[in-house]
Amino acid sequence: MRPDTPAENVDHTAEAARLERTAGLYPEDAEALLLRAAAHLELSGDRSAAAALYDRLLASDTGQTGLENPYLVRALKASNLWEYGHEAEARAIIDGIRTAAPRDPAPWVVVAESLESHDELEAAHETFTEAVRLLLTDVPEPPSAAHPLLFGRHRVRRMLGVPHDEWDALADTVHSLPVTLDELHDPKRVWSLGSENPAELEAEISRLRAELGAYRTALSRPFPVAILHWPAPELAELLEAYPSLTTEYPSHEEHLATTETALRELAASGTPNLGIVTGTVPSYEAFAASEATTPGDTDLLPQYATTLAARGRAVPWPPQRSAACWCGSGRPYGECHGA
């Protein structure tokens, strides 16, 4: 959500304006695009303009045009408000989010880290713990989206000097970097950087290099190889409007089976970072218009999938076996297309 590119390398104001224009062209992606625009405005120092974008999004959260994640927008708004002097309003929003107890990890992470960044360590610990208990109790395998909750809770507990518990053990289990969480979150590490002992400095620099290498590896992952998925109503509308595509999609059942087969074959060949993007007829038609071609052209379909993936619309494949299947059936993946 928040780009970390230094301000001297990017014109954040111009990038925010570009994203706002793009949101006007692709209203179905307006939420994600405007959140990134707000993040650029925060990095440019124009926090009041960022707040206006958050308010614009929240004002659109009505009826059929509701936001995908209104609690995340509220959390980001609270974090931004606190940074430029509106602490009371930010606290009120944070309290409202905690009371609402959303089932998505992202807003919990944002509000807990906001409390942590303002030295509200006890409140941050309570917030992380509430979220972990709500979202991970009796969950056999923590989803990757919830890992920051475990890591953030571990970090705050290390700063508070609290002994490890079962959630900290789980955080250690899902942590994959070469540096352990205890080392990574050790408050004394920063003191080593001010040491006059060359051995201590060399050891700390080696640890930091290992962390940076792992971080760069994560950032260097390409966009996922994305396979296009059409929900049944969208595919029916697509084929009615463009019958030439029936050669590509003889039936919805065959489309789903072909999608899963293609992903499995790519995985077997060693292709990393596989994903699924879900198409809609209006967005596909808009894409075809932007490419100055007809939506009935089958060669346009993979280009559309790649563009959706580049705009952050890809969902990683495969899902966990206990997670909902990507096809939208509502059944666990392990009992549906993952069977």
Side-chain angles (χ1 to χ4, degrees):
M1 282 304 167
R2 298 177 181 278
D4 297 319
T5 308
E8 61 268 21
N9 296 332
V10 169
D11 184 340
H12 290 292
T13 302
E15 182 63 12
R18 184 190 69 80
L19 288 164
E20 285 194 67
R21 290 194 299 271
T22 306
L25 296 173
Y26 300 98
E28 71 279 8
D29 294 328
E31 182 176 348
L33 293 167
L34 291 178
L35 284 179
R36 290 197 61 79
H40 279 287
L41 289 171
E42 289 186 36
L43 287 171
S44 74
D46 195 351
R47 292 192 173 275
S48 61
L53 273 187
Y54 293 133
D55 287 336
R56 173 179 162 186
L57 279 167
L58 292 170
S60 70
D61 187 29
T62 57
Q64 295 182 346
T65 61
L67 298 174
E68 291 183 14
N69 198 335
Y71 291 111
L72 176 59
V73 179
R74 289 186 173 89
L76 292 169
K77 176 184 175 181
S79 176
N80 178 57
L81 286 171
W82 202 335
E83 291 298 328
Y84 78 111
H86 298 270
E87 179 182 342
E89 187 177 353
R91 286 183 181 276
I93 295 172
I94 288 173
D95 289 343
I97 292 171
R98 291 177 64 178
T99 300
R103 305 296 299 188
D104 178 53
W108 287 101
V109 172
V110 172
V111 298
E113 289 184 347
S114 182
L115 290 164
E116 179 187 351
S117 69
H118 290 88
D119 296 324
E120 301 274 351
L121 296 183
E122 292 288 354
H125 178 243
E126 291 174 6
T127 304
F128 276 126
T129 302
E130 285 176 25
V132 164
R133 287 175 177 165
L134 174 69
L135 301 178
L136 299 181
T137 298
D138 297 327
V139 173
E141 183 181 355
S144 57
H147 290 182
L149 290 174
L150 292 167
F151 300 153
R153 184 177 182 275
H154 185 287
R155 180 179 61 248
V156 170
R157 288 170 66 82
R158 287 284 282 146
M159 288 191 284
L160 291 171
V162 180
H164 278 20
D165 61 7
E166 68 275 12
W167 295 117
D168 292 319
L170 182 60
D172 286 326
T173 300
V174 300
H175 176 68
S176 60
L177 293 180
V179 180
T180 66
L181 282 180
D182 276 343
E183 284 187 86
L184 191 62
H185 297 156
D186 186 355
K188 295 180 180 179
R189 289 188 66 185
V190 69
W191 302 346
S192 300
L193 293 174
S195 172
E196 296 181 358
N197 185 329
E200 289 184 3
L201 281 171
E202 185 176 351
E204 184 59 24
I205 289 170
S206 296
R207 284 194 292 268
L208 289 171
R209 280 176 175 165
E211 293 169 32
L212 181 60
Y215 181 62
R216 282 176 172 166
T217 298
L219 286 181
S220 66
R221 290 183 303 172
F223 287 120
V225 175
I227 301 294
L228 183 59
H229 160 235
W230 296 95
E234 294 291 336
L235 185 60
E237 182 180 346
L238 179 74
L239 297 179
E240 182 179 357
Y242 308 103
S244 61
L245 296 180
T246 53
T247 56
E248 187 76 16
Y249 305 115
S251 70
H252 187 250
E253 291 74 16
E254 187 169 340
H255 164 53
L256 297 181
T258 302
T259 300
E260 179 72 21
T261 300
L263 287 163
R264 292 192 183 199
E265 289 176 352
L266 287 168
S269 70
T271 304
N273 302 327
L274 297 173
I276 295 176
V277 289
T278 300
T280 66
V281 174
S283 114
Y284 179 59
E285 290 175 334
F287 176 72
S290 71
E291 295 293 313
T293 187
T294 170
D297 182 359
T298 57
D299 292 339
L300 191 66
L301 295 167
Q303 298 176 43
Y304 174 56
T306 301
T307 301
L308 290 179
R311 281 156 53 190
R313 308 298 290 182
V315 176
W317 180 94
Q320 295 181 3
R321 292 186 62 80
S322 59
C325 187
W326 57 265
C327 72
S329 66
R331 298 166 57 199
Y333 176 65
E335 299 174 11
C336 193
H337 283 88

